[in-house]
Amino acid sequence: ITGLLGFATQLNMVWQAASEDDPYAHWWLIRIEEAIGQAQVFLAEQVSRMGALYPGTARFQWSASHSQRPHTVLLQFATPYAYRAAQLLGEFDCLVCQCLTLKHVGACAPEQLTGVIESAAHQVRRVFSLPQGFRVFAIDRAEVRQNTQRAEQALAHFGALPSEILSGARTATFAP
């Protein structure tokens, strides 16, 4: 299972290829961007849903569990998508803390909470595994248009590029 640092390392390869005008790398960045966005929406919905389960009365209130001595890590990534993935991991941590608190106080069935955590973990792992499918063919848009041997290899590996990617009409928000 790829973690945040593995994701960032693999993403650097995609980022470098995109900076050299590899259209497949640009397509991959768009896919990563969309996956991060979908996972963020999913996690936000789950955090909101779990937050609504917190019973509160005038006599009894609580908040989500959290670490009394959280470990601090200095993040230094080469791409904005790695930072967005780190934010995603933080949102996942928040959701897990909420679920564990709800389980501890008996506000929700443990099986339901386990399902929420597993679904959220799947979303995060899906994002983190995306860059693993990328392979560098050292091509650019001109080579794809000329259908060189390396472009044919890339086509066989990745499939056909959407025309808006090849033309450059559609790019990732934070493309190099």
Side-chain angles (χ1 to χ4, degrees), residues 118-129:
E118 287 175 357
S119 295
H122 174 74
Q123 292 287 322
V124 173
R125 282 193 306 271
R126 186 174 62 85
V127 169
F128 284 5
S129 68

Side-chain angles (χ1 to χ4, degrees), residues 49-142:
R49 201 174 116 224
M50 293 299 107
L53 295 177
Y54 278 78
T57 67
R59 294 184 186 104
F60 188 67
Q61 293 182 348
W62 60 75
S63 60
S65 299
H66 61 279
S67 177
Q68 292 180 0
R69 289 179 283 138
H71 184 73
T72 303
V73 177
L74 177 64
L75 298 178
Q76 293 182 319
F77 297 124
T79 71
Y81 294 108
Y83 287 103
R84 291 190 65 206
Q87 291 172 337
L88 186 67
L89 192 57
E91 292 167 14
F92 174 71
D93 181 65
C94 175
L95 176 63
V96 169
C97 287
Q98 279 186 318
C99 288
L100 293 177
T101 301
L102 290 168
K103 179 181 176 183
H104 182 74
V105 299
C108 194
E111 305 83 35
Q112 180 184 358
L113 298 170
T114 299
V116 169
I117 291 171
E118 287 175 357
S119 295
H122 174 74
Q123 292 287 322
V124 173
R125 282 193 306 271
R126 186 174 62 85
V127 169
F128 284 5
S129 68
L130 261 175
Q132 291 178 347
F134 184 76
R135 180 173 164 208
V136 176
F137 285 96
I139 59 174
D140 59 19
R141 284 183 167 86

